[in-house]
Amino acid sequence: MAPDPNRAADAGASSSGTVKDDAVTKKKVESEDLSDEDLALKQQLELYVERVQDSDPGLQKVALESMRNLAGEIAQEYAKRQTDESPIEELMELVQQIVAFHMKHNAEPEAVDLLMEVEDLDMLIEHVDKTNFKRTCIYLTSSARYLPGPDDMLVLDIAYLIYLKFEQYPNALQIALFLDNMQYVRQVFTSCDDVLRKKQFCYMLGRHGITFELDEEMVANDEDREALQEILNNSKLSEGYLTLARDIEVMEPKSPEDIYKAHLLDGRASAGASVDSARQNLAATFVNAFVNAGFGQDKLMTVPSDSSSSASSGNWLFKNKEHGKTSAAASLGMILLWDVDSGLAQIDKYFHSNDNHVIAGALLGVGIVNSSIKNDCDPAMALLGEYTEKEDSSIRIGAIMGLGIAYAGSQNEQLRYKLAPILNDAKASLDVIAFTAISLGLIYVGSCNEEVAQAIIFALMDRSESELGEPLTRLLPLGLGLLYLGKQESVEATAEVSKTFNEKIRKYCDMTLLSCAYAGTGNVLKVQNLLGHCSQHLDKGETHQGPAVLGIAMVAMAEELGVEMAIRSLEHLLQYGEQNIRRAVPLALGLLCISNPKVNVMDTLSRLSHDTDSEVAMAAVISLGLLGAGTNNARIAGMLRNLSSYYYKDTSLLFCVRIAQGLVHLGKGLLTLNPYHSDRLLLSPTALAGLITMLHACLDMKAIVLGKYHYVLYFLVLAMQPRMLLTVDENLKPLSVPVRVGQAVDVVGQAGRPKTITGFQTHSTPVLLAAGDRAELATEKYIPISPILEGFVILKENPDYREE
């Protein structure tokens, strides 16, 4: 039987706005003094309640829809009462009932939305139970991205408390890291008493790249604490990475020629390649370093000294000119990445060189080897500390940049006392000061440290007119910006001070601070603000639009929707922007889709790589490398090979093509540069800082990357991480289990138990995860301790498992 139209019409009428104060009446239903209107409403509601239990589904639907309306009206009523400050107690009692109903009937999102409207999310905690807390928390965390501050933090706080309540400590830890709240991180450790889980927490903290000291309160047993701290310090990273490499059988070292594949091209390009120019050798140094990163062996730098081959390590080093030797010596650090003991032993020989450039490279190499590895005996500090005071500026830069990379994110006080005075040292050259600002920015990334900010501000104020025009000066505002990375409002005081700077650098500083402070927040208003700055047509001398364009990517990279919209906005900027904007757009696209080769972006960059403006073309080529970084993407590799023959006469562009080729084959395809991890929830601050620094340097390719500061490319090491899933047993030994790997599917708010991945293949671990991939165990035999299968995951045996 069809639902009666009259009944339906009634249902519609009651829920329209004619009813005054309807929410109150429902509370006073018991009292007799109801006006006719209210009485009608009361009967109406009782009718709904009956109808909802009716056997006819059509009627049930109509009645339920009318009661949904109820929640919306409560929200309006609440807003109205807030403005005229009337009491809200009876409203809240009603809310209590509705929330209880929603939570029992799998409508967690509706309950959360209602509580957000009436600003009382705390009520949620008493209504969640074992059956619905996961869905509730997933909805809370995913909606946080779209809420304005400070609501987003409140929502995440509630999710954190719910996870703690149900002892889902790994999830609670992720939210604590997202909030960057170290008190919460401590609380997770103190609340949990299972050592195995704590080991997993340490793997998660290590991957996020923060420096964190465990104390007796967090881990009581001394031996356990030492073992946990070792995991947290990433000292097992190299071992795990090499386990992956052996499993996939890519241990064989590769030479730059294996990457260029010149034999696939027609005659002219391969003929030009045989010439031994210093610029080409420098490119080969970088390609070799990127491709063999972390493998501990290659064909140029680590050849055993007893072999009589002509390419033994000493020889390759001296195939580079002056500052080229710095990058060559430092490349050894990249090849031995994360393997501190062996790395320091092999770099040691360069410290005895009588060539300052080689010593500078050795210092930088030590910093690179220690990247993202913490060590109790602080070898980097011991080796590099004394060199920051040397006369020679290249040695100073090597030591300072090395310390910045080795101690990124550590907020090490000792280093502040060592480096901050250099900023105000009248004798120090501009390049030394610029690299000091960056290193301090990296060490204190996202800390809002006032002393460091003060020192950089004074250094900026001391610069003369001529110095402000120098390309490297752009690194000073960036060092300042890194201190506030992702910290939103905290930047405002410093931004006010920056308005007093010389007008040459004032706007540049303003854009850099804004984009760093809101990086990774997805704040739409800030994106609009930055787009506004990009839409102005200015004279040639203005440089601040470059960082504004990069800023759009930095802010919008937080979630997929923002990324898509930013890509479209950047396409528009290409069409009507001035040259200095067009030069930055490719770099912004590279950051938005880093290690994630999206076809539409690939085509845009391919078009720009043939641009008539060589700076645009160079930026596009480098960005093709970033787009495919560590993916071995065949299409990008083909594009770059064709570009190498197209630009075979243009040494600068050919250099960029080579760098991009090295990036695409980063770590033979086992590494990623994506700063996001844990299902794109967490953003590693040190990784993003390294990327931004390198991109800011690329805003002036000719002067910096193609000049004598090409070693800024090594800042990328901060973002390099194995894109692996490595499962280990309770003794942390690798354990091979079958897993399904497929495209991640967003299942927030869906009913039932939807599949979280689609189009999967089954492999046995260790496996590689591409951008947007997600893994799940294909066996019931083990239970993963981490909810997200990425990086190192500890498995424990399932006690309920029975062999078939």
Side-chain angles (χ1 to χ4, degrees):
M1 126 195 182
D4 174 357
N6 297 334
R7 293 188 193 171
D10 280 355
S14 80
S15 57
S16 68
T18 55
V19 187
K20 69 164 193 332
D21 248 357
D22 56 348
V24 190
T25 49
K26 290 158 201 156
K27 226 25 240 162
K28 290 191 193 149
V29 167
E30 293 76 39
S31 58
E32 268 58 72
D33 52 353
L34 292 179
S35 67
D36 305 346
E37 205 175 60
D38 293 346
L39 202 61
L41 180 73
K42 177 191 166 190
Q43 289 161 351
Q44 195 75 53
L45 269 172
E46 283 167 355
L47 185 67
Y48 289 154
V49 175
E50 260 168 62
R51 288 288 149 69
V52 172
Q53 294 151 7
D54 198 303
S55 56
D56 172 31
L59 277 181
Q60 282 183 333
K61 182 165 176 275
V62 170
L64 273 173
E65 279 169 357
S66 320
M67 285 164 83
R68 283 282 176 276
N69 283 336
L70 186 61
E73 283 180 16
I74 289 182
Q76 289 166 4
E77 180 67 27
Y78 177 83
K80 191 169 119 219
R81 293 196 183 188
Q82 284 298 71
T83 46
D84 49 26
E85 294 181 4
S86 41
I88 52 169
E89 283 72 31
E90 65 263 273
L91 252 188
M92 294 323 278
E93 284 176 35
L94 193 62
V95 169
Q96 186 94 16
Q97 292 172 5
I98 295 180
V99 169
F101 176 84
H102 279 328
M103 294 302 282
K104 281 198 187 69
H105 296 80
N106 298 341
E108 299 87 356
E110 282 89 341
V112 172
D113 290 342
L114 176 60
L115 288 174
M116 277 187 204
E117 292 285 354
V118 298
E119 296 168 25
D120 186 18
L121 265 175
D122 298 329
M123 193 190 289
L124 201 58
I125 298 179
E126 54 202 69
H127 288 289
V128 282
D129 57 29
K130 285 207 299 291
T131 58
N132 59 23
F133 79 90
K134 277 194 175 139
R135 291 163 51 94
T136 309
C137 287
I138 287 175
Y139 183 71
L140 286 168
T141 38
S142 55
S143 61
R145 302 215 172 240
Y146 300 98
L147 288 171
D151 294 0
D152 51 351
M153 297 304 161
L154 276 171
V155 168
L156 289 167
D157 270 339
I158 299 288
Y160 170 79
L161 293 171
I162 294 175
Y163 276 139
L164 268 194
K165 178 177 169 184
F166 291 98
E167 300 189 353
Q168 297 287 315
Y169 298 119
N171 300 79
L173 180 65
Q174 282 179 332
I175 292 182
L177 289 174
F178 186 89
L179 292 166
D180 195 25
N181 184 331
M182 288 304 131
Q183 283 317 104
Y184 278 5
V185 175
R186 289 184 64 94
Q187 196 182 349
V188 171
F189 270 97
T190 47
S191 317
C192 172
D193 47 11
D194 173 11
V195 175
L196 204 58
R197 278 182 164 193
K198 289 187 179 176
K199 286 182 178 168
Q200 184 66 59
F201 301 162
C202 288
Y203 278 129
M204 291 162 77
L205 289 170
R207 169 67 182 92
H208 194 52
I210 53 173
T211 306
F212 192 69
E213 286 294 325
L214 298 172
D215 58 27
E216 286 166 11
E217 208 183 319
M218 293 189 262
V219 189
N221 178 327
D222 288 354
E223 276 183 21
D224 284 344
R225 189 164 64 249
E226 217 163 273
L228 286 168
Q229 189 70 51
E230 205 164 59
I231 297 175
L232 210 161
N233 292 349
N234 275 329
S235 37
K236 298 267 186 284
L237 186 57
S238 172
E239 203 180 302
Y241 177 59
L242 292 173
T243 304
L244 170 77
R246 285 190 199 98
D247 189 87
I248 299 182
E249 298 180 1
V250 289
M251 285 303 292
E252 188 64 26
K254 285 197 163 174
S255 68
E257 283 67 43
D258 300 336
I259 302 300
Y260 301 161
K261 297 198 168 127
H263 61 274
L264 297 179
L265 298 165
D266 52 358
R268 62 173 191 188
S270 41
S274 57
V275 185
D276 222 15
S277 75
R279 172 59 64 79
Q280 285 315 303
N281 285 355
L282 181 61
T285 296
F286 280 112
V287 172
N288 184 55
F290 286 142
V291 173
N292 296 300
F295 284 89
Q297 45 181 18
D298 72 323
K299 290 184 177 174
L300 300 182
M301 298 297 295
T302 60
V303 183
S305 49
D306 52 294
S307 74
S308 55
S309 72
S310 59
S312 79
S313 123
N315 294 359
W316 181 257
L317 189 64
F318 296 104
K319 284 190 173 178
N320 291 279
K321 280 210 185 96
E322 301 165 7
H323 47 78
K325 292 180 203 159
T326 304
S327 284
S331 74
L332 189 54
M334 182 76 98
I335 293 158
L336 295 158
L337 186 61
W338 305 322
D339 182 355
V340 178
D341 300 340
S342 158
L344 298 182
Q346 294 203 38
I347 295 171
D348 182 64
K349 55 179 179 284
Y350 296 142
F351 277 98
H352 311 299
S353 166
N354 47 14
D355 183 331
N356 284 345
H357 292 293
V358 176
I359 297 174
L363 293 161
L364 178 52
V366 169
I368 291 172
V369 160
N370 281 285
S371 169
S372 75
I373 309 286
K374 327 283 182 290
N375 201 313
D376 293 338
C377 49
D378 273 348
M381 183 87 83
L383 282 164
L384 307 183
E386 60 202 86
Y387 286 93
T388 55
E389 303 304 320
K390 291 279 190 274
E391 286 292 293
D392 183 76
S393 67
S394 59
I395 287 187
R396 287 185 89 173
I397 290 175
I400 290 165
M401 184 170 160
L403 287 168
I405 290 177
Y407 291 96
S410 67
Q411 302 186 24
N412 187 310
E413 291 287 305
Q414 223 178 321
L415 281 172
R416 194 183 91 222
Y417 299 132
K418 198 178 267 304
L419 297 179
I422 300 178
L423 289 172
N424 307 333
D425 173 2
K427 292 199 291 293
S429 58
L430 178 65
D431 50 3
V432 171
I433 288 175
F435 279 99
T436 306
I438 288 292
S439 282
L440 280 166
L442 290 173
I443 294 165
Y444 281 90
V445 66
S447 68
C448 307
N449 185 297
E450 298 207 350
E451 288 89 352
V452 180
Q454 218 55 50
I456 298 179
I457 287 171
F458 287 141
L460 265 165
M461 289 176 162
D462 291 345
R463 303 276 71 81
S464 64
E465 274 286 328
S466 62
E467 282 181 317
L468 288 175
E470 290 288 311
L472 277 179
T473 310
R474 68 177 64 234
L475 296 183
L476 284 164
L478 179 59
L480 192 55
L482 292 178
L483 298 174
Y484 298 97
L485 193 69
K487 287 289 170 280
Q488 311 194 24
E489 297 75 48
S490 314
V491 78
E492 282 165 10
T494 306
E496 279 306 304
V497 178
S498 75
K499 293 192 167 60
T500 63
F501 291 167
N502 183 314
E503 72 269 5
K504 257 190 175 171
I505 195 130
R506 186 186 308 155
K507 274 186 158 169
Y508 191 98
C509 207
D510 203 30
M511 293 296 97
T512 308
L513 286 173
L514 176 73
S515 58
C516 285
Y518 287 90
T521 59
N523 186 315
V524 191
L525 300 173
K526 295 297 176 263
V527 176
Q528 285 178 332
N529 182 342
L530 290 163
L531 274 168
H533 285 282
C534 298
S535 61
Q536 299 157 3
H537 293 276
L538 302 161
D539 326 331
K540 282 282 170 280
E542 290 286 352
T543 54
H544 72 273
Q545 288 177 320
V549 175
L550 281 181
I552 294 170
M554 284 156 62
V555 179
M557 68 194 290
E559 36 86 39
E560 290 297 325
L561 205 69
V563 170
E564 292 300 327
M565 287 163 69
I567 291 174
R568 288 198 53 184
S569 304
L570 290 167
E571 294 268 343
H572 289 303
L573 289 180
L574 276 178
Q575 283 154 7
Y576 60 75
E578 299 287 328
Q579 268 333 51
N580 52 7
I581 288 184
R582 297 195 52 202
R583 288 170 182 177
V585 167
L587 299 170
L589 288 170
L591 178 60
L592 278 173
C593 306
I594 196 149
S595 294
N596 180 8
K598 292 192 171 181
V599 176
N600 55 337
V601 180
M602 207 187 295
D603 291 341
T604 303
L605 290 174
S606 174
R607 190 178 78 237
L608 291 174
S609 63
H610 296 82
D611 201 271
T612 46
D613 178 353
S614 68
E615 294 255 349
V616 175
M618 285 191 254
V621 170
I622 292 279
S623 290
L624 275 172
L626 294 173
L627 192 70
T631 60
N632 284 351
N633 184 288
R635 189 159 171 225
I636 296 184
M639 283 176 183
L640 292 169
R641 268 201 303 279
N642 293 337
L643 284 166
S644 73
S645 77
Y646 183 76
Y647 287 124
Y648 80 112
K649 278 187 174 153
D650 183 331
T651 50
S652 300
L653 264 152
L654 189 55
F655 179 79
C656 293
V657 173
R658 296 306 187 207
I659 298 293
Q661 285 178 305
L663 286 173
V664 170
H665 299 280
L666 189 67
K668 300 177 200 162
L670 306 190
L671 293 171
T672 178
L673 289 180
N674 192 349
Y676 277 97
H677 59 101
S678 302
D679 260 350
R680 246 192 104 81
L681 172 74
L682 295 176
L683 172 65
S684 165
T686 46
L688 183 60
L691 290 172
I692 295 173
T693 307
M694 181 265 188
L695 289 168
H696 267 257
C698 288
L699 285 173
D700 196 337
M701 294 286 280
K702 286 201 167 85
I704 301 179
V705 181
L706 297 169
K708 59 179 194 196
Y709 302 106
H710 35 76
Y711 39 81
V712 293
L713 291 170
Y714 287 130
F715 278 121
L716 288 177
V717 74
L718 290 167
M720 284 161 54
Q721 285 286 345
R723 54 187 191 97
M724 65 178 181
L725 161 60
L726 181 67
T727 45
V728 296
D729 61 18
E730 302 184 19
N731 305 319
L732 310 185
K733 295 279 171 280
L735 175 68
S736 189
V737 295
V739 288
R740 292 188 280 265
V741 180
Q743 276 297 138
V745 181
D746 185 16
V747 293
V748 181
Q750 287 188 16
R753 290 202 188 149
K755 293 266 185 286
T756 52
I757 59 174
T758 173
F760 59 82
Q761 290 177 314
T762 307
H763 302 283
S764 56
T765 60
V767 292
L768 288 180
L769 298 174
D773 276 357
R774 187 181 286 163
E776 53 183 44
L777 284 192
T779 167
E780 307 266 299
K781 191 174 174 187
Y782 296 98
I783 301 173
I785 293 189
S786 158
I788 289 174
L789 300 189
E790 261 175 53
F792 291 88
V793 175
I794 304 174
L795 302 179
K796 62 175 186 216
E797 299 214 343
N798 184 350
D800 309 330
Y801 178 72
R802 298 280 170 272
E803 286 284 345
E804 290 301 312

